[in-house]
Amino acid sequence: MAESDGQERTEEATPRRKQQAQEKGQVARSKELASVSVLIVGSVSLMWFGGMLARGLYQLMSRLFSLSREEVFDISKLGDIAIGALGSLVFPLLLILIVLFVAALAGAAGVGGIRFSAEAARPKLSKMNPLSGLKRMVGKQSLVELIKSILKVGLVAGVAFFLINSSRHDLLMLSTDVYPQNIFRALDILLNFVLLISCSLLVVVGIDIPFQIWQHNEQLKMTKQEVKDEFKDTEGKPEVKGRIRMLQREAAQRRMMADVPQADVIVTNPEHFSVALRYKQNTDKAPIVVAKGVDHMALKIREVAREHDIYVIPAPPLARALYHTTELEQEIPDGLFTAVAQVLAYVFQLKQYRKSGGQRPVLKSENMPIPPDLRH
């Protein structure tokens, strides 16, 4: 296992670590897949376009070996002849090169996908260090490459021997065939040999791809301390998060206190709870809780209410029910409609009493109809 500061890399890479590696161009790659893809597709493309290429070569050689004396000594005419003869090779060569380019791109992107990273292309002085190069030469990666090379040589030699042995009769018959049929036959045999030998290297690809993925994951593994440090960087230190939560609560409380003057009534349990209710007949479908608090916050709500001449009504059972069942800026539960309606009606009666006098209204908070499931 690789070590870092005395700690073993035993933890799987986090999503952030993997993303950073991708941004640096550090992804699993299989050179064997890219090279074998080019070999196989190149063999197939020669089978497809080899006839066109052979005819172009034949026309080129025929023209260049049939030059007249005047054409040989006329440089301008000789150049035109060469360009015209080479023109017959351009199209088949272009087709083969395009197919090989696509095969190379697909093979390189087969593991790890297509990634463009300026950092990966940047020269690194550490790679020029002789000691680092020596470590790479004698490291585990070099041993794996040596094993793969031996396996490839063994496969190619074994498959080639098998193909030659199984086709020895056809090879011997080439000497008895008529020209140029024997040449075409020899090319067919050769292309089949190349294709089959290239396909045999898929065994190496099947071994190399899982190894490269495993090795890449091993290189990205982290120590326990690295995981902790990353968590602190992404999620924040506990004390910082606590400070942020405290500031958020304070900001929410300031916004809530700013809404208290919009309330129509403050329902309280005189010692602990305060709930500010707003009900605008033209805009609100039901009474809405605009502020609530306990202990010190409850006291602050009552102080702001008195400053803005908002009625503070003691109704302990209703105050506790509203506090525990309704969030800020939410409508009150259906089960509390009747009780809240009694409070709002009482506030209306108090306003009328202040204006006109008469008998002072009385609110019996202990007899309010509060369902058992909403009592606290």
Side-chain angles (χ1 to χ4, degrees), residues 191-211:
L191 286 176
N192 287 326
F193 278 15
V194 173
L195 178 59
L196 292 173
I197 291 173
S198 300
C199 289
S200 69
L201 294 176
L202 290 173
V203 176
V204 181
V205 175
I207 298 173
D208 185 60
I209 290 178
F211 171 76

Side-chain angles (χ1 to χ4, degrees), residues 1-284:
M1 282 288 187
E3 295 184 358
S4 177
D5 297 332
Q7 295 187 27
E8 292 185 348
R9 298 184 182 273
T10 57
E11 306 303 311
E12 293 296 329
T14 60
R16 185 189 180 199
R17 177 68 171 262
K18 293 179 180 178
Q19 182 181 0
Q20 289 175 341
Q22 290 177 357
E23 292 172 354
K24 296 178 181 178
Q26 298 175 358
V27 294
R29 295 290 185 197
S30 175
K31 293 185 292 184
E32 304 301 331
L33 176 61
S35 59
V36 172
S37 299
V38 172
L39 286 174
I40 294 176
V41 174
S43 303
V44 175
S45 63
L46 283 175
M47 290 180 175
W48 288 349
F49 311 119
M52 297 173 58
L53 184 61
R55 286 190 293 271
L57 284 172
Y58 177 78
Q59 294 174 7
L60 173 64
M61 299 303 292
S62 297
R63 185 68 184 90
L64 293 180
F65 279 104
S66 61
L67 296 174
S68 64
R69 180 180 177 84
E70 292 77 11
E71 291 172 339
V72 171
F73 289 99
D74 189 341
I75 302 299
S76 60
K77 186 177 293 186
L78 187 63
D80 294 338
I81 293 171
I83 292 173
L86 287 172
S88 60
L89 293 177
V90 172
F91 183 66
L93 278 177
L94 186 62
L95 286 176
I96 294 174
L97 290 176
I98 291 174
V99 172
L100 289 177
F101 174 77
V102 173
L105 186 63
V111 180
I114 299 177
R115 303 284 177 182
F116 298 97
S117 174
E119 187 170 348
R122 189 180 305 161
K124 295 180 175 61
L125 296 177
S126 59
K127 292 187 176 180
M128 302 176 62
N129 188 344
L131 293 178
S132 300
L134 183 61
K135 289 181 180 179
R136 288 195 295 269
M137 290 175 61
V138 299
K140 181 171 59 176
Q141 180 66 27
S142 299
L143 178 61
V144 172
E145 294 296 329
L146 176 62
I147 295 173
K148 286 195 299 184
S149 299
I150 295 173
L151 180 59
K152 285 190 287 186
V153 171
L155 273 174
V156 171
V159 173
F161 177 79
F162 172 78
L163 292 174
I164 293 173
N165 184 58
S166 60
S167 304
R168 63 182 183 275
H169 177 72
D170 294 333
L171 294 173
L172 293 174
M173 291 298 294
L174 291 175
S175 60
T176 62
D177 286 345
V178 180
Y179 174 83
Q181 283 77 13
N182 56 352
I183 300 297
F184 296 146
R185 178 61 179 163
L187 288 174
D188 289 339
I189 294 174
L190 179 61
L191 286 176
N192 287 326
F193 278 15
V194 173
L195 178 59
L196 292 173
I197 291 173
S198 300
C199 289
S200 69
L201 294 176
L202 290 173
V203 176
V204 181
V205 175
I207 298 173
D208 185 60
I209 290 178
F211 171 76
Q212 294 298 336
I213 295 175
W214 172 82
Q215 185 185 50
H216 177 68
N217 292 333
E218 287 293 310
Q219 291 174 347
L220 291 183
K221 278 190 173 181
M222 307 167 67
T223 63
K224 295 182 183 296
Q225 186 60 42
E226 287 175 336
V227 174
K228 293 178 181 178
D229 293 341
E230 182 180 299
F231 179 79
K232 289 180 179 179
D233 292 338
T234 55
E235 300 296 331
K237 297 181 179 180
E239 55 271 19
V240 175
K241 292 174 67 178
R243 176 64 177 170
I244 292 174
R245 284 195 295 267
M246 183 183 70
L247 294 175
Q248 290 174 340
R249 285 195 300 269
E250 291 177 353
Q253 290 173 357
R254 286 194 296 269
R255 290 194 299 270
M256 182 183 70
M257 296 304 295
D259 292 337
V260 172
Q262 302 176 12
D264 294 299
V265 64
I266 309 298
V267 182
T268 69
N269 175 355
E271 296 181 356
H272 299 291
F273 296 91
S274 291
V275 180
L277 295 175
R278 183 196 71 213
Y279 180 59
K280 306 299 182 185
Q281 294 183 359
N282 297 329
T283 57
D284 298 333

